[in-house]
């Protein structure tokens, strides 16, 4: 959503009606780009969010809860000094600019009544928040702009505030006057440009999105210039532009929120944009802004958390792969053990032929059919028996290295599979709760406690192996310390939480869905929860689903009483859900079937009764074996209902 000058003018009018005469109680600054004003209304208060984030500058009423720092920033303290307890006099816009001014009255230290203006500049990367006194002097600003940054306009304390340079364009009122005289309301300097650009260059505060809406509604080829338009096209364009501008000047516009194919808000505007599956009409521009940006911010926070966990898991996976390469080298060296033993045997057999101090000897290999000669390197400091013993020692060392390498390689593969399952869970995460569950599992694995959070571990719980480099992800090969990078990454991920989260130790609920024919589906958020669902929550008669041969979520389809087999529709939806939560790993493995349609992703899913699923002894959470299963090829998608 773009907050252009026209939208800011209308938003200022809305806020003026809402806020005039209201009192500012509290002021918070969650981050350097956001200020929240608690404004007292009859029967309670509302939060006015002001954001000057370069990517999403806005001002609107919002109930979005942001965590406040323990020590307020200096600019927040300044706002509290001048604005706390003040009365809002008016909210204005200086003529279709991307600026909203909140003028308040308050008493100073001498109990004199003073006026202050909080100016919100919503200009993308040049956005700013400026506090000005009644004499027009800047008290302070969120972003300082000195002469080295801008030679045109300084925004610094003690300077006189000046508006950004005005654009020489037609206001909505002036454009309506021209239209009333049967003139095309465009500036002559814009007649050689395409229609949409000519509209943006002529009408003050008009954004490209609104210009595209006007052009589309007038049904004019956007490649044409105003000079190329016929008289009928000019009349149509003038009529459409007049209707739109009158809705602006008369306040008869309607705010809309537009939703994409995923059901999430994709845009918001005062114009009825086309090309979206669903449109919702809301009561105000402020509400439209809040709906759109709240969904956008949630997605950004989710993406940021997903990237952070992927970085942690990717780093651990890279270390495991490096260790696997070392173990593969050890295995190759271990395969030379028989050659070392054979060399020792030959030296003992022909020791009478070996002279003291020789650096090598060529002997006949009596075990080969061709009786080939072999040159064996020797240690000149040792006699024949000593060299033979040296080869035997190297043989035993190589044999032991090969045995350990084979063991470690098996455990490396399990570790890689486990980390890939974590990565699949992260990529399938649809909420912050999902990421919190994965982070909790990661902490449990690093601490060596991967048991369930509630209840004590049972008598069959496996002891923590602190010495094996592959039993815990990130253990050093020496077995002396856990991987520093992984521990530090997880420590950083959990910093700042402290005791503020009262539900920190409360287990997160699993995902719950309902099929279109009334069956309940449960899906784990992480591997620990997968184990809990399969072996503690699900009945033995319930059905278990998992994507075939790949890491993924355990999905449980609850059966109804006295029912052996759920409906075919329920099986199809549960299998589709299991594939949906493994979409990223399926794409990675190129598991799409040949009959998949463009844009669709299909995968093979195994399913069986829960009683056929067994836990692998000593394995990581979520790793199981199963038998007596069926397979089905399904499209990866959620069921019709959202997570309950």
């Amino acid at each position: 959503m773009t907050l252009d000058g026209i939208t800011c003018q209308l938003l200022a009018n809305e806020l003026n009606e809402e806020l005039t005469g209201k009192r500012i109680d509290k002021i918070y600054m969650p981050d350097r780009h956001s200020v929240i004003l608690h404004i007292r209304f009859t029967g309670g208060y509302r939060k006015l969010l002001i954001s000057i984030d370069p990517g999403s500058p806005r001002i609107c009423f919002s109930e979005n809860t942001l965590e406040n720092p323990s020590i307020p920033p200096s600019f927040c303290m300044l706002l509290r000094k001048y604005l706390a307890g003040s009365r809002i006099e008016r909210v204005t816009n200086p003529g279709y600019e991307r600026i909203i001014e909140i003028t308040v009255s308050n008493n100073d230290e001498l109990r004199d009544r003073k006026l202050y203006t909080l100016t919100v500049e919503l200009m993308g990367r040049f956005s700013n928040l400026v506090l000005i006194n009644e004499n027009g002097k800047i008290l302070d600003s969120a972003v300082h702009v000195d002469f080295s940054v801008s030679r045109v306009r300084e925004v610094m304390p003690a300077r006189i505030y000046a508006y950004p340079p005005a654009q020489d364009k037609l206001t909505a009122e002036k454009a309506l006057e021209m239209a009333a005289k049967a003139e095309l309301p465009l500036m002559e300097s814009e007649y050689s440009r395409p229609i949409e650009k000519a509209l943006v260059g002529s009408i003050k505060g008009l954004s490209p999105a609104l210009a595209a809406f006007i052009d589309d509604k007038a049904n004019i080829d956007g490649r044409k210039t105003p000079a190329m338009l016929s008289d009928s096209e000019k009349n149509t364009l003038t009529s459409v532009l007049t209707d739109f501008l009158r809705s602006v000047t008369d306040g008869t516009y309607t705010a809309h929120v537009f939703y994409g194919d995923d059901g999430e808000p994709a845009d918001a505007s005062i114009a009825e944009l086309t090309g979206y599956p669903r449109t919702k009409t809301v009561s105000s521009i402020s509400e439209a802004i809040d709906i759109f940006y709240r969904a956008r911010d949630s997605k950004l926070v989710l993406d940021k958390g997903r990237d952070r966990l992927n970085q942690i898991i990717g780093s651990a996976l890279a270390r495991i792969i490096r260790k696997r390469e070392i173990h593969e080298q050890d295995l190759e060296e271990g395969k030379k053990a028989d050659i070392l033993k054979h060399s020792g045997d030959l030296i003992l057999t022909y020791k009478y032929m070996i002279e003291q101090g020789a650096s090598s000897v060529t002997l006949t290999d009596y075990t080969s059919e061709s009786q080939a000669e072999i040159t064996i390197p020797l240690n000149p400091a040792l006699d024949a028996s000593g060299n033979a013993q040296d080869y035997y020692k190297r043989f035993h060392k190589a044999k032991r290295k090969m045995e350990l390498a084979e063991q470690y390689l098996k455990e490396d593969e399990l570790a890689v599979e486990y980390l890939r399952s974590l990565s699949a869970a992260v990529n399938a995460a649809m909420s912050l709760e999902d990421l919190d569950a994965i982070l909790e599992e990661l902490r449990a694995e690093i601490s060596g406690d991967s048991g369930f959070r509630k209840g004590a571990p049972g008598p069959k719980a496996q002891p923590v192996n602190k010495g094996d480099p592959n039993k815990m992800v990130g253990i050093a090969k020496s077995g002396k310390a856990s991987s520093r990078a992984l521990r530090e990454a997880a420590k950083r991920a959990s910093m700042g939480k402290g005791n503020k989260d009262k539900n920190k130790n409360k287990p997160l609920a699993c995902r719950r869905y309902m099929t279109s024919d009334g069956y309940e589906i449960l899906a784990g958020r992480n591997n620990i929860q997968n184990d809990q669902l399969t072996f503690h929550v699900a009945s033995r008669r319930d059905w278990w689903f998992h994507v075939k041969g790949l890491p993924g979520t355990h999905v449980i389809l609850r059966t109804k009483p006295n029912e052996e087999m759920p409906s075919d529709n329920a099986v199809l939806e549960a299998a589709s859900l299991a594939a949906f939560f493994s979409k990223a790993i399926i794409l990675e493995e190129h598991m799409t079937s040949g009959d998949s349609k463009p844009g669709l992703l299909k995968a093979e899913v195994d399913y069986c009764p829960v009683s056929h699923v067994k836990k692998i002894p000593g394995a990581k959470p979520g790793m199981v074996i199963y038998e007596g299963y069926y397979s089905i090829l399904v499209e990866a998608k959620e069921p019709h209902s959202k997570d309950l």
Side-chain angles (χ1 to χ4, degrees):
M1 178 182 185
T2 302
L3 280 180
D4 51 41
I6 288 178
T7 306
C8 285
Q9 177 71 62
L10 299 177
L11 178 58
N13 295 340
E14 286 183 2
L15 294 177
N16 186 56
E17 293 182 8
E18 289 272 355
L19 297 177
T20 299
K22 302 301 187 294
R23 183 170 176 258
I24 299 177
D25 271 1
K26 298 177 181 179
I27 302 168
Y28 297 100
M29 197 168 180
D31 55 64
R32 64 192 183 95
H33 291 137
S34 304
V35 171
I36 297 178
L37 306 180
H38 285 213
I39 300 175
R40 177 64 60 182
F41 281 75
T42 303
Y45 68 86
R46 296 178 68 184
K47 297 178 184 178
L48 184 68
L49 170 65
I50 302 172
S51 174
I52 58 170
D53 188 303
S56 55
R58 64 194 184 276
I59 176 171
C60 63
F61 289 108
S62 178
E63 295 303 318
N64 196 10
T65 303
L66 301 174
E67 186 176 349
N68 295 305
S70 56
I71 301 177
S74 58
F75 185 64
C76 179
M77 298 299 293
L78 180 86
L79 294 179
R80 289 177 179 178
K81 175 182 177 181
Y82 290 101
L83 302 185
S86 64
R87 188 77 59 181
I88 297 176
E89 300 291 333
R90 59 186 175 273
V91 180
T92 57
N93 175 278
Y96 301 101
E97 296 286 353
R98 291 179 293 170
I99 296 174
I100 291 182
E101 301 167 316
I102 303 174
T103 302
V104 304
S105 60
N106 203 0
N107 294 329
D108 63 6
E109 294 87 348
L110 300 178
R111 309 298 298 172
D112 293 330
R113 203 68 176 167
K114 299 290 185 181
L115 292 178
Y116 303 98
T117 301
L118 184 63
T119 301
V120 186
E121 299 178 348
L122 305 170
M123 302 176 181
R125 62 191 181 95
F126 301 109
S127 298
N128 206 344
L129 188 60
V130 188
L131 183 63
I132 308 165
N133 66 14
E134 58 187 0
N135 299 320
K137 186 177 292 187
I138 298 174
L139 297 174
D140 204 355
S141 61
V143 180
H144 290 177
V145 181
D146 59 15
F147 184 77
S148 64
V149 177
S150 175
R151 299 180 181 179
V152 178
R153 177 173 173 263
E154 283 189 298
V155 182
M156 296 288 291
R159 306 291 199 278
I160 297 298
Y161 178 78
Y163 289 121
Q167 296 177 321
D168 186 18
K169 296 182 180 181
L170 302 174
T171 63
E173 292 77 10
K174 179 64 176 177
L176 287 173
E177 289 179 9
M178 293 178 64
K181 298 176 183 179
E183 299 178 15
L184 184 62
L186 295 176
M187 299 178 68
E188 292 184 5
S189 59
E190 301 294 325
Y191 267 59
S192 61
R193 307 181 70 191
I195 290 294
E196 292 182 17
K197 292 185 178 180
L199 287 169
V200 173
S202 299
I203 309 298
K204 192 173 184 179
L206 191 72
S207 65
L210 293 179
F213 160 75
I214 293 170
D215 180 47
D216 183 63
K217 195 166 185 180
N219 196 24
I220 296 176
D221 187 350
R223 295 171 294 181
K224 287 186 176 181
T225 64
M228 299 168 60
L229 298 180
S230 64
D231 290 340
S232 63
E233 288 176 328
K234 288 181 180 179
N235 292 335
T236 302
L237 179 61
T238 301
S239 175
V240 172
L241 185 57
T242 299
D243 291 342
F244 173 75
L245 293 179
R246 277 181 181 162
S247 72
V248 172
T249 56
D250 298 343
T252 57
Y253 63 91
T254 303
H256 307 275
V257 179
F258 306 95
Y259 292 81
D261 294 326
D262 57 356
E264 296 296 326
D267 204 349
S269 178
I270 58 172
E272 296 183 26
L273 305 180
T274 58
Y276 294 99
R278 186 168 71 90
T279 302
K280 178 183 178 182
T281 300
V282 294
S283 60
S284 66
I285 296 175
S286 175
E287 183 181 356
I289 293 172
D290 183 44
I291 292 173
F292 172 73
Y293 278 108
R294 200 182 334 167
R296 181 179 179 272
D297 290 347
S298 297
K299 185 177 184 301
L300 289 176
V301 171
L302 184 64
D303 289 343
K304 185 177 179 180
R306 187 183 286 119
D307 291 343
R308 181 183 61 182
L309 286 179
N310 272 329
Q311 184 178 5
I312 295 172
I313 295 168
S315 178
L317 185 59
R319 282 189 295 274
I320 290 294
I321 291 175
R322 287 197 297 269
K323 288 198 294 183
R324 184 173 64 182
E325 291 174 353
I326 294 173
H327 296 152
E328 287 173 348
Q329 293 176 2
D330 291 346
L331 182 63
E332 289 300 319
E333 293 179 6
K335 291 179 179 178
K336 301 176 183 178
D338 292 338
I339 298 176
L340 295 173
K341 182 178 183 300
H342 187 54
S343 297
D345 292 341
L346 289 176
I347 291 173
L348 285 181
T349 302
Y350 297 104
K351 65 178 180 179
Y352 62 89
M353 297 174 54
I354 300 174
E355 299 179 358
Q356 180 70 32
S359 58
S360 64
V361 64
T362 301
L363 303 174
T364 301
D365 185 3
Y366 58 85
T367 62
S368 67
E369 294 181 359
S370 60
Q371 298 292 301
E373 292 187 343
I374 299 177
T375 300
I376 302 174
L378 299 174
N379 185 349
L382 301 176
D383 58 10
S385 298
N387 274 287
Q389 293 302 317
D390 182 57
Y391 270 98
Y392 287 140
K393 288 179 181 179
R394 291 165 61 187
F395 156 70
H396 288 296
K397 184 177 180 180
K399 184 178 179 182
R400 178 58 178 163
K401 181 182 288 187
M402 182 173 65
E403 293 173 352
L404 290 175
E406 289 175 346
Q407 175 187 345
Y408 285 157
L409 281 173
K410 292 179 182 178
E411 293 166 352
D412 287 341
E413 292 301 323
L414 291 176
V416 169
E417 183 180 350
Y418 175 69
L419 287 170
R420 291 187 67 209
S421 71
L422 282 180
S423 179
V426 170
N427 292 325
M430 301 174 62
S431 65
L432 293 178
E433 288 77 11
D434 293 345
L435 295 182
D436 288 341
I438 298 167
L439 182 58
E440 187 66 21
E441 177 182 352
L442 185 58
R443 292 197 194 103
E445 282 302 308
I446 292 172
S447 66
D449 175 23
S450 58
F452 302 131
R453 284 300 173 191
K454 62 178 184 178
K460 294 184 179 180
Q462 297 293 326
V464 177
N465 189 330
K466 297 184 178 180
D468 193 325
N470 297 285
K471 288 297 184 183
M472 284 172 51
V473 177
I475 293 278
K477 187 175 181 181
S478 63
K480 294 182 179 179
S482 297
S483 165
R484 182 178 302 170
L486 183 57
R487 287 187 286 111
E488 288 299 319
K491 184 178 179 182
R492 288 195 304 271
S494 60
M495 282 179 63
K497 292 188 177 286
N499 296 322
K500 294 181 181 179
D501 188 358
K502 297 179 181 179
N503 297 322
K504 183 176 180 180
N505 294 324
K506 184 179 179 180
L508 287 169
C510 65
R511 301 184 184 102
R512 291 181 61 248
Y513 297 85
M514 293 296 293
T515 66
S516 56
D517 52 355
Y519 285 84
E520 183 181 23
I521 301 177
L522 306 179
R525 299 179 190 270
N526 62 4
N527 289 311
I528 294 177
Q529 204 170 81
N530 286 339
D531 265 11
Q532 189 174 17
L533 274 180
T534 302
F535 300 112
H536 294 261
V537 175
S539 165
R540 292 176 60 83
R541 295 174 56 253
D542 293 336
W543 286 77
W544 180 88
F545 292 76
H546 196 281
V547 66
K548 189 179 189 69
L550 294 173
T553 296
H554 292 201
V555 173
I556 302 296
L557 177 61
R558 307 299 293 264
T559 55
K560 295 180 179 180
N562 302 321
E563 184 179 55
E564 289 294 330
M565 186 74 182
S567 68
D568 292 343
N569 178 75
V571 169
L572 182 63
E573 292 189 14
S576 297
L577 184 65
F580 174 80
F581 285 121
S582 298
K583 286 175 68 175
I585 203 74
I586 294 170
L587 286 171
E588 180 184 328
E589 294 289 330
H590 305 285
M591 289 290 290
T592 52
S593 63
D595 60 345
S596 295
K597 297 180 181 179
L600 300 180
L601 183 66
K602 289 190 175 182
E604 191 172 3
V605 174
D606 294 339
Y607 64 101
C608 64
V610 171
S611 59
H612 292 191
V613 183
K614 308 297 181 185
K615 175 72 177 174
I616 301 176
K620 293 287 184 183
M623 294 187 178
V624 298
I625 54 176
Y626 52 95
E627 59 186 4
Y629 60 89
Y630 303 92
S631 296
I632 184 173
L633 184 67
V634 294
E635 180 187 340
K637 63 179 181 180
E638 285 187 280
H640 72 288
S641 69
K642 291 292 184 181
D643 184 1
L644 304 176

